[in-house]
Amino acid sequence: MLGTRITAIGTYVPETKLTNFELERMVETNNEWILQRTGIHERRISRPDEFTSDLCVAAVKDLMKRYNKKVEDVDMIIVATSTPDFPFPSVSSIIQNRLNIAQTGAIDLSAACAGFVYAMHTAHSFIASGLHKKVLVIGADTISKITDYTDRSTCILFGDGAGAVLIESDEQSNSFIGFHLGSDGSGAQHVYRPGLSKKVNGIELVDTQYLVQNGREVFRWVVRNVPDSVKQILEKTQTNLEQIDWFIPHSANLRLIEPISEKVGFPMKKTLYSLVNFGNTSAATIPLALDLGIREGKVKNGDHVLLYGFGSGLVHAGQLLHLNLDEQINAPKPL
């Protein structure tokens, strides 16, 4: 297998902020209640004319500027999203056109909040097999556009954002150490957005245009399953917990991250998340958290970073990385 390295990262969040105090005026809730139950202070909301493809392009441009990268020779674009601009054409095809990439494959990947990790795994497979040389991976969602702002159980959680990484063939270095993938479709009815079918697992779905989530059941499933899956990655790669510099789980809710870290045995001071100022951005939470760690000088080249995403499906994916990014040429703009 050929070496595969993550060479650059870029992120973007919309300018508009939705604070807990603003939500107090929209639904029956308050800042203290939201903080106590989620750890979220605010989230970013896309404009009515701003869509997932716009966030993706901005994240890639951030990557290009910071690392002095060109993307015209990218030979595959993979976008992980649950909120594409259209059912079709794909967000990846829109990005290909807007970034003037003449010859490339372009696919969207649907794995909800685990989408970014699945897209990374797919890109690694493409390059390690020798079929591709340079893959652009983006995790992005505009969940605000499918959020019911009369439902206080969901509207306090979600925000919009995008994160992009460039993954390239490298004979001298390899970023990808080990992984674990899984799915439990028996719980599909716990997180969904209705589509063509009105039933799943024989259960009638709520007829709405918005995201529907049974937070209690998702919480139970995640705490019951994710820690064991994390431990499987460590066992398969013969890695001790002490060798992991940073743990980056999906930033769904701080009260969910805490029991996961506790059951794995990983200290919260070495657990990174992006939810405090951005909320749950679905496929974007993990790249946002990784980039925040880099921007703050916490995450450095040579670090071992364990990513773990989980979401609707119920699908989950983990990836152990050894970071060796290119040197940043330009400092990133504040998010």
Side-chain angles (χ1 to χ4, degrees):
M1 295 179 69
L2 300 177
T4 306
R5 184 166 67 91
I6 302 165
T7 60
I9 186 169
T11 49
Y12 174 79
V13 290
E15 294 181 2
T16 302
K17 297 179 181 180
L18 178 62
T19 68
N20 293 345
F21 297 105
E22 289 172 303
L23 281 169
E24 288 180 356
R25 300 194 291 269
M26 299 168 63
V27 290
E28 187 180 346
T29 191
N30 60 69
N31 176 61
E32 184 180 356
W33 189 89
I34 297 171
L35 284 177
Q36 187 177 53
R37 285 161 177 78
T38 70
I40 299 169
H41 286 257
E42 60 187 30
R43 62 289 294 147
R44 299 294 182 91
I45 305 298
S46 55
R47 302 186 312 269
D49 63 345
E50 188 177 35
F51 297 92
T52 297
S53 65
D54 299 306
L55 274 58
C56 290
V57 169
V60 175
K61 288 183 175 179
D62 178 56
L63 176 157
M64 294 168 65
K65 182 176 181 180
R66 288 163 60 183
Y67 292 88
N68 194 29
K69 287 287 187 180
K70 296 180 180 180
V71 296
E72 290 91 341
D73 57 344
V74 161
D75 55 17
M76 179 62 75
I77 302 170
I78 307 173
V79 176
T81 186
S82 300
T83 52
D85 301 27
F86 317 99
F88 51 85
S90 67
V91 175
S92 54
S93 288
I94 296 168
I95 293 168
Q96 172 271 317
N97 177 58
R98 290 182 60 182
L99 294 177
N100 298 312
I101 305 174
Q103 298 291 330
T104 187
I107 56 172
D108 285 3
L109 186 153
S110 178
C113 302
F116 180 75
V117 182
Y118 265 93
M120 293 262 285
H121 175 72
T122 303
H124 174 222
S125 302
F126 284 165
I127 294 176
S129 68
L131 296 176
H132 292 269
K133 296 292 185 184
K134 193 172 182 179
V135 181
L136 188 58
V137 170
I138 310 168
D141 272 302
T142 48
I143 297 293
S144 69
K145 296 186 186 302
I146 60 168
T147 296
D148 181 356
Y149 283 96
T150 67
D151 177 9
R152 72 170 187 169
S153 67
T154 57
C155 73
I156 64 172
L157 296 172
F158 295 103
D160 303 334
V165 294
L166 196 60
I167 303 178
E168 302 183 58
S169 176
D170 190 319
E171 295 180 358
Q172 306 299 321
S173 180
N174 185 40
S175 298
F176 295 80
I177 300 173
F179 68 93
H180 180 77
L181 309 178
S183 178
D184 180 4
S186 67
Q189 67 273 14
H190 297 315
V191 191
Y192 65 87
R193 183 188 179 196
L196 298 179
S197 176
K198 303 305 178 186
K199 289 184 179 181
V200 65
N201 294 333
I203 297 169
E204 197 80 31
L205 302 179
V206 176
D207 186 13
T208 176
Q209 61 181 312
Y210 300 116
L211 173 153
V212 178
Q213 176 173 269
N214 184 333
R216 187 183 300 274
E217 289 301 322
V218 173
F219 183 97
R220 289 173 177 169
W221 179 86
V222 170
V223 173
R224 189 169 60 244
N225 290 279
V226 169
D228 288 340
S229 298
V230 170
K231 291 175 183 177
Q232 286 189 48
I233 296 177
L234 299 178
E235 291 172 3
K236 287 192 290 186
T237 59
Q238 297 183 338
T239 303
N240 295 323
L241 203 60
E242 295 74 20
Q243 294 175 277
I244 305 299
D245 296 289
W246 301 102
F247 177 42
I248 308 181
H250 164 49
S251 288
N253 183 325
L254 189 58
R255 306 310 165 220
L256 181 55
I257 291 174
E258 289 167 338
I260 293 172
S261 294
E262 182 180 355
K263 291 188 75 171
V264 172
F266 208 79
M268 283 299 294
K269 65 181 180 180
K270 299 186 76 175
T271 300
L272 303 179
Y273 42 88
S274 56
L275 58 84
V276 174
N277 293 318
F278 305 132
N280 180 346
T281 54
S282 191
T285 70
I286 288 176
L288 279 171
L290 175 59
D291 194 34
L292 284 173
I294 292 170
R295 288 167 178 260
E296 294 168 3
K298 296 177 180 179
V299 179
K300 299 178 174 63
N301 276 344
D303 284 354
H304 287 86
V305 181
L306 180 58
L307 316 179
Y308 212 96
F310 45 86
S312 178
L314 297 165
V315 68
H316 54 106
Q319 182 75 63
L320 178 58
L321 302 173
H322 179 248
L323 284 188
N324 186 18
L325 294 157
D326 287 355
E327 181 182 353
Q328 287 193 70
I329 305 300
N330 297 295
K333 292 181 179 180
L335 289 173

